[in-house]
Amino acid sequence: MSIPVIAKKDDSLYEVIVNIFLSDAGSIFIIDEDDNLCGIVSRKDLLKATIGGADINKMPIGMIMTRTPNIITVEKDDSVIVVAKKIIDHEIDSIPVVENIDNKMKVIGKISKTNITKLFLEIVDN
């Protein structure tokens, strides 16, 4: 698991674009005012949004994000095999690791194809 890149749903499209590229991430997890996962945005989503000519300094990221319940998540106790299957089955690059508390999803990490590849290489080297 690695550290997730997070933005608030009211952050501007511009702020999120800067954040995703400075973090060198493939996607950003979006949280609401109570720090609960409410969406996700990929580089591809950001590219599509900027092509339309919208004012990226004024448009909140919440306007273009993929929203819950359409977000695939895992919990910290899920096995790497379960995570890898979800990544492959849903054709995504990374997946948020969440902790469910009172039907709220708190993002505690992320697992990406890179994380899984590194684990695979560690296993092979041992």
Side-chain angles (χ1 to χ4, degrees), residues 66-125:
T66 299
R67 300 174 185 282
T68 56
N70 298 321
I71 301 172
I72 307 304
T73 63
V74 294
E75 294 186 12
K76 66 180 177 180
D77 295 330
D78 289 342
S79 75
V80 175
I81 300 299
V82 167
V83 176
K85 284 181 180 178
K86 284 186 176 188
I87 286 174
I88 297 301
D89 290 347
H90 297 281
E91 299 178 0
I92 53 179
D93 292 328
S94 67
I95 192 165
V97 180
V98 298
E99 193 171 62
N100 285 306
I101 303 170
D102 299 327
N103 292 328
K104 306 281 183 172
M105 290 190 288
K106 301 283 184 185
V107 179
I108 59 170
K110 83 170 184 177
I111 299 180
S112 65
K113 290 178 180 179
T114 302
N115 295 116
I116 293 172
T117 303
K118 284 180 182 178
L119 176 63
F120 176 73
L121 291 174
E122 284 178 25
I123 292 169
V124 170
D125 285 344

Side-chain angles (χ1 to χ4, degrees), residues 17-68:
I17 290 170
V18 170
N19 192 0
I20 199 168
F21 284 98
L22 288 178
S23 303
D24 194 26
S27 58
I28 289 192
F29 307 131
I30 311 300
I31 57 173
D32 63 18
E33 52 281 341
D34 296 321
D35 295 335
N36 297 304
L37 179 66
C38 64
I40 189 169
V41 176
S42 69
R43 287 183 181 201
K44 189 176 180 179
D45 296 327
L46 295 171
L47 179 61
K48 284 192 284 188
T50 57
I51 289 173
D55 185 346
I56 63 174
N57 290 300
K58 292 183 180 173
M59 179 185 286
I61 199 64
M63 297 277 293
I64 68 158
M65 69 185 184
T66 299
R67 300 174 185 282
T68 56

